[in-house]
Amino acid sequence: MTFARPAAAVLSTLLVATALSGTPASAAENDDPIRLTLHDWTGQLISTRIMGEVLKKAGYNIEYVQADYIAQFAGLKTGDLHVAMEIWETTGRDALDEATATGKVENLGDSGMFAIEEWWYPSYMKEVCPGLPDWKALKSEACAEAFGTAETLPKGRYLGAPVTWGGYDDERVEALDLPFEVVHAGTDAALFAELESAYQRKAPVLLWVYAPHWAPLKYDGEWVEFPAYEKACYEDPAWGSNPDMAYDCGKPRGPIWKVAWAGLKDQWPGAHKAISAFSIDNDEMGGLITKADLDGEPVEKVVATWIDENQDRWSAWIK
C-alpha cells in the first residue's frame, strides 16, 4: 500500500536535493524540446553538447539535430531549429548578418573563442617554396609544383575544407591568379588525417587549418599571409590587387558567435540567459579537442568530464 506524501514534504525533499546537487531541480519554463544543431567538426560537437548537457541539468528537454552549417539558418529563422553554438566570423558572417537582419535570428554574443581559418603549411615546406608565408610565393611555378600531386601537376594542390563550410577558396584562387587547384576534403576527419600522414612523411601539403584546434598546436607550421581581409574585399571587385574580382584577400578573423531563433528568449528565457553566458576560450577548447581527436576519447566522455570538473562555472550559467 502507498500513501500520498504531503506537498510540503515533497517540496522539502526537492529543495534538499537541489541544495546537495548545487543545481536547480528544474528551471525549465516548459517541456518543449530545445533543438541544438550539430555539425561536422569536433569542437562544435563539444561546445554544443556542453551547453546541451548543462541545460539538461536545469531541467530542459534537449534535442540534438544534425544540420548543415550554412543551411541551418533557414531552420533558425522558422523556429524549427533553436540554437547554433558556433558561427565563425571567418566563414559564417555573411549568413549571420542576413539572418539577423530579418529579425528572426538573434546573435547571443561571442563564445569566448577567437577564430582563425586560413591556408596552412608545415614549416618544412619553406625549404622548397622560398618566400613563404607571403602569399605571392605561391604564384611561382616552382612553388606550385612543390605543392602539387600527380592529379594536379603542374598546378599545386590546396586541400580545402568540406564544401559546406564555405570560405571562398575557389574564388580566392581565381582572384589572386594562383596556379593551384582546390580539392575539398569530404570531412573534418579526412582533412586532418591527410595532414597527419603528410607530416609524418615530410610530404607536400597545403591545406585549410583552423583554430581553436589541436593541429596548429601539435605541428610546426604557418598560415599563409594573404592581403588582410576587409569587408570591401568580399563586396567590391575594385578593392585589392585584382580590379575585376572580389575575394582577392585572406579570410576574416574574429569571434565565434552563439546564435538562436529569435523566439528562444520568450519561450525559454532561462535557457536564453544560460546560452548567452556560455564562454570557453581557445586554449581550453583546444585541449578538449585534443582529448577527442588525438587521445581517442568519445565526445560524450570529454563533455561528461568537463561537466564534472567545472560545476561552479556552469552552475552560474543556469543560476
Side-chain angles (χ1 to χ4, degrees):
M1 180 178 291
T2 59
F3 298 91
R5 300 177 66 193
V10 173
L11 178 60
S12 176
T13 301
L14 199 56
L15 291 175
V16 169
T18 299
L20 290 175
S21 68
T23 63
S26 178
E29 294 81 12
N30 57 70
D31 294 332
D32 294 339
I34 303 176
R35 300 185 185 93
L36 281 68
T37 60
L38 297 175
H39 304 319
D40 53 357
W41 65 94
T42 304
Q44 195 273 347
L45 300 178
I46 291 172
S47 60
T48 302
R49 288 188 178 276
I50 284 176
M51 190 72 255
E53 297 310 300
V54 168
L55 290 174
K56 286 181 182 179
K57 296 283 188 183
Y60 289 96
N61 180 9
I62 299 300
E63 289 184 4
Y64 298 112
V65 180
Q66 196 73 36
D68 178 272
Y69 176 53
I70 298 298
Q72 71 178 328
F73 280 100
L76 290 168
K77 290 175 187 176
T78 61
D80 293 318
L81 301 174
H82 301 129
V83 179
M85 288 301 296
E86 291 194 13
I87 301 298
W88 290 44
E89 179 77 13
T90 48
T91 53
R93 188 74 213 199
D94 290 347
L96 174 59
D97 286 346
E98 187 279 329
T100 55
T102 67
K104 299 176 181 178
V105 174
E106 181 183 4
N107 186 335
L108 298 187
D110 74 80
S111 64
M113 295 178 281
F114 186 87
I116 302 173
E117 295 188 87
E118 197 54 272
W119 294 30
W120 186 98
Y121 59 89
S123 293
Y124 59 77
M125 290 303 298
K126 294 179 78 169
E127 299 177 9
V128 293
C129 185
L132 287 173
D134 189 330
W135 70 275
K136 290 188 289 292
L138 299 176
K139 291 179 72 71
S140 76
E141 292 182 4
C143 269
E145 290 186 3
F147 281 108
T149 65
E151 293 75 22
T152 67
L153 287 172
K155 291 184 176 182
R157 186 186 74 147
Y158 167 72
L159 182 63
V163 174
T164 56
W165 294 12
Y168 304 109
D169 283 320
D170 296 273
E171 294 86 347
R172 184 167 295 106
V173 166
E174 186 177 1
L176 292 173
D177 193 27
L178 296 175
F180 276 77
E181 182 176 330
V182 177
V183 178
H184 291 279
T187 65
D188 179 65
L191 186 71
F192 291 103
E194 183 144 353
L195 171 57
E196 174 78 30
S197 174
Y199 200 93
Q200 296 302 324
R201 297 178 289 113
K202 295 294 186 285
V205 66
L206 177 65
L207 75 165
W208 176 317
V209 167
Y210 60 87
H213 194 265
W214 53 263
L217 302 176
K218 178 179 180 180
Y219 302 119
D220 182 22
E222 297 175 318
W223 278 289
V224 174
E225 294 177 359
F226 288 106
Y229 167 84
E230 294 181 15
K231 190 175 179 63
C233 171
Y234 280 21
E235 298 178 349
D236 181 6
W239 185 98
S241 60
N242 186 334
D244 300 316
M245 297 189 69
Y247 306 108
D248 49 347
C249 63
K251 303 175 196 287
R253 299 185 180 190
I256 297 175
W257 306 100
K258 301 164 293 187
V259 175
W261 168 54
L264 182 79
K265 60 182 176 293
D266 298 320
Q267 190 159 346
W268 300 284
H272 181 274
K273 180 181 177 182
I275 296 162
S276 299
F278 172 99
S279 184
I280 287 180
D281 65 22
N282 279 31
D283 289 342
E284 184 173 20
M285 180 53 72
L288 296 175
I289 296 170
T290 297
K291 289 182 179 180
D293 284 359
L294 298 186
D295 299 341
E297 290 188 20
V299 166
E300 293 79 4
K301 180 180 178 182
V302 173
V303 170
T305 300
W306 189 94
I307 294 285
D308 289 343
E309 294 176 350
N310 291 274
Q311 182 166 322
D312 289 345
R313 282 174 63 186
W314 58 259
S315 293
W317 301 348
I318 58 177
K319 184 180 295 183

